[in-house]
Amino acid sequence: MHVGNLRTALYEYLVAKSQGGKFILRIEDTDQERKVDGAVDLIYRTLERAGLLHDEGPDVGGDFGPYVQSERLGMYLPYAEQLVKEGKAYYCFCSKERLQSLKDNDEFGTGYDRHCRDLPKEEVERLLASGAEYVIRQKMPLEGSTTFEDAVFGTITVENSELQDQILIKADGFPTYNFANVIDDHTMNITHVVRGCEYLSSTPKYNLLYEAFGWEKPVYIHLTPVMKDATRKLSKRHGDPGFEDLIAQGYLAEAIINYVALVGWSPGNDREFFTMDELKEAFSIEGLSKSPAIFDETKLRWMNAEYIRKLSPEEYIRHAEPYLEAAGCGHMDKSIFARILQPRTEVFTDITETVAFLAKMDEDYSVDLYTNKKSKTNPELCRDILAAVIPELEALPEWTETALHDFLMNYAAEHGMKNGTLLWPVRIAMSGKTVTPGGAIEIAALLGREEALRRLHHGLDKLNNM
Ligand code: ZN
């Protein structure tokens, strides 16, 4: 599910919940050509993970089922036939070839020429009796205009002369998307329709159907697109990540939802952090934007980091564990990881790379790394420090963070050394890196006695062989 669709679902959910309504899941699967394997499962998975729990739907039931359009197929034709009887729709017997030639010669985009709109009754009956193939079309008014209110865009007026006699029932007896939608929305008591503004121009057609049946129209809420940048929409086709991609990239569902809520909606102040319950509370249709909003991954990353910092250490580790495992650090002390990684994790996938040196370090690092201005170290000094401190570390009775800390601090004090001067060579030898999560003490504790000492000896050998 791409981010645009997720946001539409979120706004639908918030419109419903902010007004004490129900969020209803209906699967629209009548367009067999557009059917994608696994798409329905993906919808269930995404809604659940995003916390958009539906009150009615195919899996949870409800009073207005079935909730899968292909299970409702028998319901549509009688409604279309009712409109034919009332003179608001008609049978069209035009052949595919005739319609195609209309299309081919249609330089003004006027579409179907209403050839069958006024066929004599006897002719219609004769053709039906002969078993001729037909579609049912809606009779659009030929004059005047149709006006409707959109909750975001305000009053929209369309000249009726621009509206085509749209097909309601196709030659195979199945409804068109637009027709099935109106029948379903009415029979399922839908009060608010939230959808992309690409549907804005077809809304008058929907409304004319409601009027033809004498039904109450729903409230329309059309949303501007989610943009990648000023020129193009966010799209999976262009490789922009969908919800599950973002989860796989190490984003928290709560952070994604919080950020996506703000792409096209404003609470009316500069507040940025909302739980789902707070969104339900704060959401209002008036806050929806009329202009397209840009999905800014840098901003999402920032927000995700904020969410990660708010996790308890236990929750943090639960999320981080797969990435620690993947880096080969699954056996190391998790509480140390929580302490050193949580403040700096922006997305969980970063962890694998950050801790990789703990599982396997690059031992071909340059001895230049031992030179550090701030710690006042150079390779020669580091060689002497390591040569002196390694035997004492080997003699430590206990290899814990506390024991390592107490020993190293005392050692520096006793030898009149700055802590930094002692810790620099120890950390470089154990990591081969100048920038690491955690310092020498945490790294030594994570590595354990044997591996830490092996690395320290390797560092000393390297310095001895300069
Ligand atoms: Zn026709």
Side-chain angles (χ1 to χ4, degrees):
M1 189 182 284
H2 68 72
V3 169
N5 280 347
L6 173 69
R7 192 196 60 169
T8 304
L10 172 62
Y11 288 168
E12 284 163 354
Y13 179 79
L14 293 174
V15 166
K17 294 298 164 183
S18 64
Q19 302 188 44
K22 286 183 175 173
F23 179 53
I24 299 170
L25 177 62
R26 181 173 76 224
I27 301 295
E28 301 184 335
D29 60 346
T30 48
D31 193 344
Q32 297 293 322
E33 281 166 29
R34 291 183 57 193
K35 223 169 173 171
V36 178
D37 281 340
V40 175
D41 287 336
L42 178 82
I43 291 169
Y44 282 128
R45 252 194 344 260
T46 306
L47 292 180
E48 190 179 355
R49 187 122 199 215
L52 305 176
L53 305 178
H54 46 281
D55 302 295
E56 296 175 23
D59 53 343
V60 295
D63 296 339
F64 301 91
Y67 291 88
V68 178
Q69 224 165 34
S70 58
E71 293 168 17
R72 303 172 66 86
L73 283 178
M75 299 174 62
Y76 307 107
L77 187 58
Y79 283 104
E81 285 170 340
Q82 180 194 329
L83 290 183
V84 173
K85 243 179 242 147
E86 293 170 1
K88 296 163 180 169
Y90 60 93
Y91 294 104
C92 165
F93 299 95
C94 291
S95 65
K96 276 199 186 93
E97 294 72 27
R98 179 168 191 278
L99 294 174
Q100 191 55 49
S101 81
L102 280 179
K103 236 185 214 169
D104 294 345
N105 299 313
D106 185 9
E107 57 181 307
F108 303 109
T110 41
Y112 179 61
D113 61 357
R114 296 178 163 140
H115 176 264
C116 305
R117 183 165 163 137
D118 298 308
L119 285 183
K121 202 166 174 257
E122 302 72 42
E123 176 71 352
V124 172
E125 272 161 14
R126 189 187 63 77
L127 285 165
L128 287 178
S130 76
E133 209 171 67
Y134 65 83
V135 300
I136 296 181
R137 290 182 185 272
Q138 184 183 1
K139 251 185 207 177
M140 291 298 180
L142 301 176
E143 299 164 343
S145 60
T146 301
T147 294
F148 73 98
E149 288 300 317
D150 179 80
V152 176
F153 290 92
T155 307
I156 309 267
T157 300
V158 175
E159 293 303 316
N160 290 334
S161 58
E162 289 169 18
L163 301 175
Q164 300 223 6
D165 285 358
Q166 65 171 338
I167 296 175
L168 305 178
I169 299 289
K170 296 182 277 187
D172 58 10
F174 291 164
T176 54
Y177 175 78
N178 287 348
F179 188 57
N181 233 275
V182 167
I183 303 300
D184 287 342
D185 282 355
H186 173 71
T187 55
M188 297 171 91
N189 278 8
I190 303 296
T191 56
H192 291 68
V193 173
V194 186
R195 58 187 180 187
C197 62
E198 65 271 22
Y199 287 100
L200 207 50
S201 62
S202 55
T203 303
K205 295 187 202 169
Y206 285 70
N207 278 346
L208 286 166
L209 276 173
Y210 280 99
E211 279 168 19
F213 285 112
W215 294 340
E216 196 183 329
K217 292 167 206 139
V219 174
Y220 289 105
I221 300 162
H222 286 94
L223 305 173
T224 54
V226 179
M227 305 294 285
K228 168 76 183 170
D229 50 42
T231 56
R232 80 162 172 82
K233 274 198 212 181
L234 203 65
S235 84
K236 287 223 69 164
R237 203 157 39 87
H238 283 100
D240 299 324
F243 179 72
E244 291 205 319
D245 300 321
L246 291 170
I247 295 284
Q249 286 170 21
Y251 289 94
L252 289 166
E254 295 78 8
I256 301 171
I257 288 295
N258 188 157
Y259 177 64
V260 164
L262 298 170
V263 180
W265 171 77
S266 161
N269 52 42
D270 52 14
R271 179 170 173 189
E272 288 185 302
F273 289 92
F274 293 90
T275 62
M276 188 64 94
D277 282 340
E278 289 165 346
L279 281 173
K280 287 183 204 169
E281 192 74 18
F283 187 83
S284 74
I285 296 169
E286 295 73 48
L288 290 170
S289 169
K290 259 186 231 189
S291 45
I294 291 175
F295 178 82
D296 179 355
E297 228 176 304
T298 312
K299 183 85 195 272
L300 172 60
R301 217 183 147 86
W302 166 81
M303 186 166 265
N304 199 58
E306 294 292 320
Y307 268 82
I308 288 177
R309 276 194 269 285
K310 282 187 236 165
L311 296 174
S312 69
E314 294 73 31
E315 286 174 307
Y316 176 80
I317 285 302
R318 192 168 56 76
H319 284 284
E321 209 144 29
Y323 302 99
L324 293 171
E325 295 282 350
C329 300
H331 59 290
M332 297 177 187
D333 188 331
K334 304 277 184 342
S335 66
I336 299 179
F337 276 132
R339 190 152 25 88
I340 64 177
L341 293 176
Q342 191 169 2
R344 52 191 288 159
T345 306
E346 291 188 340
V347 292
F348 286 103
T349 36
D350 287 351
I351 292 174
T352 311
E353 171 76 29
T354 311
V355 302
F357 76 97
L358 289 166
K360 191 179 183 331
M361 73 174 278
D362 172 15
E363 304 201 341
D364 290 331
Y365 62 92
S366 159
V367 292
D368 295 344
L369 300 190
Y370 285 100
T371 303
N372 182 264
K373 253 193 193 152
K374 205 173 145 226
S375 306
K376 300 200 170 56
T377 58
N378 58 45
E380 289 74 21
L381 177 63
C382 288
R383 179 192 59 204
D384 298 342
I385 292 174
L386 287 181
V389 82
I390 288 173
E392 301 221 23
L393 281 168
E394 279 172 332
L396 267 187
E398 239 194 310
W399 195 272
T400 62
E401 217 184 344
T402 318
L404 286 159
H405 173 268
D406 293 349
F407 164 73
L408 288 165
M409 294 302 114
N410 281 336
Y411 186 93
E414 278 170 19
H415 293 77
M417 235 186 277
K418 278 189 166 173
N419 291 341
T421 310
L422 171 64
L423 296 176
W424 187 266
V426 176
R427 189 167 65 89
I428 295 295
M430 288 188 301
S431 66
K433 289 161 99 73
T434 54
V435 179
T436 54
I441 296 160
E442 288 94 348
I443 292 171
L446 284 167
L447 290 174
R449 182 193 294 264
E450 195 184 331
E451 175 64 7
L453 288 170
R454 193 193 65 75
R455 292 185 182 191
L456 289 167
H457 274 293
H458 174 78
L460 179 57
D461 290 347
K462 218 177 167 68
L463 291 165
N464 279 328
N465 296 321
M466 288 188 282

